[in-house]
Amino acid sequence: MTDLLIGGRWTGAIDERTREIRCPADGSLVAVVDEGGGKDAAEAVAAARQAFDQGPWPRTPAGPRGDLLLRVADMVARDKDALARAESLDTGKRLAESRLDVDDAVACFRYYGRLVRTETGRVVDTGTAHAVSRVVHEPVGVCALITPWNCPLPQTSWKVAPALAAGNTFVLKPSELTPSTAIALMRLLVEAGLPDGVANLVLGPGPEAGAPLTDNPDVDMVSFTGGLRTGRRVMAAAAGTVKRTSLELSGKNPNVVFADADFDTAVDHALTAVFRHSGQVCSAGARLMVEGSVHDAFVEAVVHRARGIRLGGPFDERAQTGPLISAAHRARVEAYVAAGLAEGARLRCGGTCPDDPALADGYYFLPTVLDRCHSGMSVLADESFGPVLTVERFASEDEAVRLANDTVYGLAGAVWSGDEERARRVASRLRLGTVWINDYHPCLPQAEWGGFKQSGTGRELGPGGLAEYRETKHIWRNTRPRPRGWFA
Ligand code: NAD
């Protein structure tokens, strides 16, 4: 088996361990892949270090680096069907959504391929005729890129594209549950002509294959997307050698609906916000907040439509959403709902697995709505990362803002209102990295993505995404060197 890429060579794991990848929709076998550990991670870091210190990539001008990214974008577009299929088999996600995810990856490689050519350093006024001062960008060095399982190809692309654009070398460690498109993307990078050792791939569980990347002294930066608890561990491990860290972590995202919103549109989006990919989206609008005067009618409409959502596998064209990623994750979602009910939330729909025998082999969980939720409940404090919507009621704009901000998270959220001034006012008061007004979920390669507060420290996409992977250096050149004579 040869699923790890180390120093330009496809290889098996040193300990010869393997893992079966099974489709969460029906448990069918998708692939058997190599499963590496600490020794593989160390070899991959050594290869990336050597490629950074001695190889051509960090010294390649921005033009050819951008060209390579544009070639990769074309290849990802060329292989769209195969990549979307592989993503759906690993994640259980509907094929239509996986196809959108491939488009996202293409847009990301195109964006950074073009951006890096236009980004220049600057000349600074030194205030003297005898010196020239320039500020230039340089790569950070060896980057450890660690990604989760919910949108594997876009999340990998959001890291790989800017890291390469900036001239870094890297070791990628995708989620052990969904490695297929990471392997495929690495094959495309090789096909595109990336020099050996620039891109390295290690597969395996986080504690064994990921953790050794986060404290290895030869790694300069860790870019991590995943859960808050793991993020804290990664940050602590990276602190030992003061690595640069870019963390994209969990969210419990408020979707705030005022009484003057377009009722039907807001109901429709409230469903997509949380039930798309069965809630396994970091920006899922899992926290519905509705103004008192329309609360009951709004929640009734959401519950009515949530009951009708059709579940099914990735290739079932009638399915509107799919399974959870694993039995363990489904058990966590079940426990989350049980905790909410024990604390006084009311179950309006779902709350259990479907009884359709056709779904019995998958990790399905019914779209669930819990109302009568309020501050202090664990379901508001925690992210379920499943198809669970919690509902709160608010009475005023100030209360909506106060409640929405009363959380350790700050990733994303939305405001729904027919009053443009109010929508803007509330959007500016929400402590969130992304706020949608009268919409939910759109994301652009040219606009930054990242969390406030404990939702993360990093920025992905946009010029800020490139900045994460670059050092900025000031070079001062004395054009008329003379002795200073201070110590004469
Ligand atoms: P996770 O934290 O369990 O794992 C993420 C990655 O980290 C995986 O590759 C895993 O193997 C690895 N890992 C685990 N322990 C590690 C350790 N000690 N050291 C280094 N690496 C380790 O998260 P998950 O369950 O895969 O993903 C779901 C979480 O990701 C959710 O909380 C979600 O909100 C978050 N997420 C955030 C964003 C964002 O942009 N903010 C995007 C997608 C997902």
Side-chain angles (χ1 to χ4, degrees), residues 146-150 155 173-176 204-207 210-211 214 224-228 230 233-234 248-251 282 383 385 411 449 455 460:
I146 303 176
T147 55
W149 46 260
N150 60 322
Q155 275 143 3
K173 208 300 283 173
S175 168
E176 59 276 26
T214 60
F224 171 84
T225 301
L228 171 58
T230 321
R233 259 182 237 129
V234 166
E248 300 290 342
L249 308 177
S250 316
C282 55
E383 176 195 52
F385 220 53
L411 188 57
W449 175 262
S455 283
E460 296 198 291

